[in-house]
Amino acid sequence: MTQAAPAPSEAEIIAALTAENRALRELVEELRRSVSWFTRHVFGEKSEKLVLPEGQTQEDLLALLGQELPAPPAPETETITYERRKRKKSRDDAVTDEGLRFDEDVPMETILLPLSPEAQAIPEDRREVIGEKVTYRLAQRPTSHVILKYIRSVIRDREDRPEDGKKVKLFTAPAPANVLERSCADVSFLAGMLVDKFTYHLPLYRQHQRLLNNGITLARSTLTVQAGQAIDLLAPISDAQYKALLLNRVLAMDETPIKAGRKAPGKMRRGQLWPIYGEDDEVVFLYTDSRKHSHVRKILGDRFKGVLLSDGYEGYARYAEKMSGVTLANCWANVAARIMFRSVRIGLP
C-alpha cells in the first residue's frame, strides 16, 4: 500500500503562489506591450502606422504580435532643387535678449565707454585688458538730409589784360548734371520723396514739416512741383510695364474709389483707381474720373487675349462678351465675401 505524499507546508504554498503570480504579471506586461504595439501601428498617426505588405490584412498582424518585424523597404526619393533670395548675413550674429537682430547693411556707431572708477584706480602700467563686454541698443537719428555743396573754380589767363581792349576769358567746370533743370533737388532727394509718399504714405505736407524740423526751409509748393516732375520722369517705365501687362495670358483687375483733385471748396473729386496685376507679380495703377463700363475697354483695349480675373462688376462681363479671345473668371475671394454678406443680410447662421 503506497503512502500518501505529505501535504505541502504553508511556506511552500506561499512560495508557489508567489512564483505563479510573478509569472502571470510578466505575461500580462508582455501582452500589454504587444497590444500597445498593435494599436500604434494600425490606428496611430500616419507617421506611426505600419505599411502592410501587399495581400496582408490587419488580422494577419495578430500572428506577428511579440515577434520582430522585418524593416519596411526604404521609400523612393527624388532630388528637388529650387532657388530663393539669399538672406542677408547678420553682423556678428548679433542678438540681444529682447530679440534685436540686424544685418550687415545697418550702419553702426561704436562708442567706447570710460573705465570704471575701480579700474581707473589701477596704475596704467598694471592694467591688462583681457576681454570686452558688448551691449547693443537700437537708436534713432534725425532724418539724414544733406546739402551738397559743389565748388567750381573760375580760372582766367594772366596774359589776358583788360587794358588791351580784349575781353577777359574765364574758364570754369560745368555745373553737375541734374535730372530736373534749374532744380535745387538732387536725384536722391526726389527718389526718397516719392518712396515716402507712395510706399510709406507720408504726404508732402508732413515731409515739409520734417524738413522744417531739421532746419531746412523750402516752399511746400516747390515739393508739389518737384513730385509732379519726378513722376513724369517715370512715365516711360510705367508705359512700358503697362504694355507688357497686356501681353499676359492671365490678368487680375479691380477698381477702387479714390479722392483726387478739388471739386468744390471743402470737397474732393471722386475718381477710380484701376489696379492691374500680371503673372510676374507686376502691378500697374490707372486712374479714371468715373466707373463707367467703357473705361474697362479703354484700359485693356484690343491687345489683351486671355483670362480676366475680376469681381462681379458688370463692366468686366460686358467687355468679355464683346471681345473674342477673352474669358472672364470671377475671383473666389469675392464670391465668398458676397455669400457671407448676403447670409448676414437674410439672417442665415
Side-chain angles (χ1 to χ4, degrees):
M1 182 175 180
T2 58
Q3 189 176 2
S9 62
E10 183 178 355
E12 292 176 346
I13 294 176
I14 293 176
L17 292 176
T18 302
E20 183 180 1
N21 184 49
R22 185 184 301 109
L24 291 175
R25 285 178 177 275
E26 293 177 356
L27 178 60
V28 170
E29 185 62 28
E30 181 180 355
L31 292 175
R32 184 181 289 111
R33 289 195 301 267
S34 299
V35 172
S36 177
W37 175 90
F38 175 80
T39 304
R40 186 175 66 254
H41 283 75
V42 177
F43 305 107
E45 298 291 337
K46 291 183 178 180
S47 59
E48 298 177 342
K49 284 186 178 181
L50 177 65
V51 180
L52 297 177
E54 186 177 357
Q56 193 175 26
T57 63
Q58 295 181 357
E59 289 77 7
D60 297 334
L61 293 178
L62 295 174
L64 302 177
L65 292 178
Q67 300 182 16
E68 185 176 354
L69 294 177
E76 297 182 358
T77 60
E78 60 179 351
T79 302
I80 300 177
T81 60
Y82 64 95
E83 295 181 359
R84 68 179 182 183
R85 185 178 301 174
K86 185 178 180 181
R87 296 182 59 184
K88 294 183 178 180
K89 296 181 180 179
S90 294
R91 177 183 287 141
D92 299 333
D93 197 20
V95 180
T96 65
D97 294 338
E98 294 79 15
L100 174 64
R101 292 178 174 84
F102 52 91
D103 57 48
E104 55 188 2
D105 294 334
V106 178
M108 178 187 297
E109 297 179 10
T110 302
I111 303 175
L112 183 62
L113 298 180
L115 299 178
S116 64
E118 295 81 3
Q120 292 180 3
I122 302 175
E124 188 174 355
D125 56 347
R126 289 166 45 190
R127 298 175 192 167
E128 181 184 1
V129 180
I130 60 174
E132 292 180 342
K133 290 187 176 181
V134 179
T135 302
Y136 294 100
R137 299 282 172 80
L138 178 60
Q140 183 173 350
R141 299 288 184 254
T143 305
S144 180
H145 288 108
V146 180
I147 303 299
L148 302 179
K149 181 180 180 180
Y150 296 96
I151 299 179
R152 298 175 288 153
S153 300
V154 179
I155 307 298
R156 76 174 182 88
D157 190 350
R158 290 180 178 177
E159 297 296 329
D160 289 344
R161 301 179 182 276
E163 55 270 15
D164 295 339
K166 297 181 180 179
K167 283 188 176 182
V168 177
K169 294 183 180 179
L170 303 179
F171 306 93
T172 183
N178 202 2
V179 293
L180 298 179
E181 295 183 3
R182 297 183 179 181
S183 174
C184 62
D186 185 68
V187 62
S188 60
F189 176 80
L190 297 175
M193 177 173 57
L194 295 185
V195 169
D196 284 344
K197 177 175 174 59
F198 296 106
T199 302
Y200 300 107
H201 306 285
L202 191 63
L204 292 180
Y205 79 91
R206 292 184 180 175
Q207 297 189 43
H208 180 259
Q209 293 174 350
R210 186 173 60 183
L211 288 171
L212 292 177
N213 294 336
N214 292 332
I216 301 174
T217 302
L218 191 66
R220 188 186 301 179
S221 59
T222 301
L223 291 182
T224 304
V225 173
Q226 291 176 348
Q229 292 175 337
I231 292 174
D232 292 339
L233 293 177
L234 299 176
I237 300 177
S238 176
D239 294 341
Q241 189 170 351
Y242 171 46
K243 294 178 181 178
L245 268 177
L246 298 180
L247 301 179
N248 282 217
R249 295 174 299 175
V250 180
L251 286 182
M253 188 174 176
D254 199 4
E255 79 289 339
T256 182
I258 184 175
K259 292 183 179 180
R262 186 180 181 185
K263 182 177 181 180
K267 293 185 179 181
M268 297 288 292
R269 187 182 304 276
R270 176 168 174 167
Q272 292 290 326
L273 202 61
W274 304 76
I276 308 176
Y277 181 78
E279 297 174 299
D280 297 327
D281 293 335
E282 67 270 36
V283 182
V284 170
F285 295 87
L286 299 175
Y287 173 82
T288 61
D289 57 358
S290 67
R291 194 172 175 242
K292 295 180 180 179
H293 294 176
S294 58
H295 289 310
V296 181
R297 175 67 180 269
K298 293 179 181 179
I299 292 174
L300 297 179
D302 302 332
R303 298 182 59 186
F304 174 65
K305 305 293 181 181
V307 178
L308 178 62
L309 186 65
S310 68
D311 57 12
Y313 177 48
E314 296 179 356
Y316 305 115
R318 298 279 183 88
Y319 171 76
E321 291 174 359
K322 296 180 181 180
M323 300 300 298
S324 60
V326 177
T327 303
L328 180 64
N330 292 121
C331 175
W332 281 108
N334 290 97
V335 172
R338 286 177 177 271
I339 293 176
M340 184 180 301
F341 178 72
R342 291 181 180 179
S343 299
V344 172
R345 290 188 60 183
I346 62 178
L348 292 179

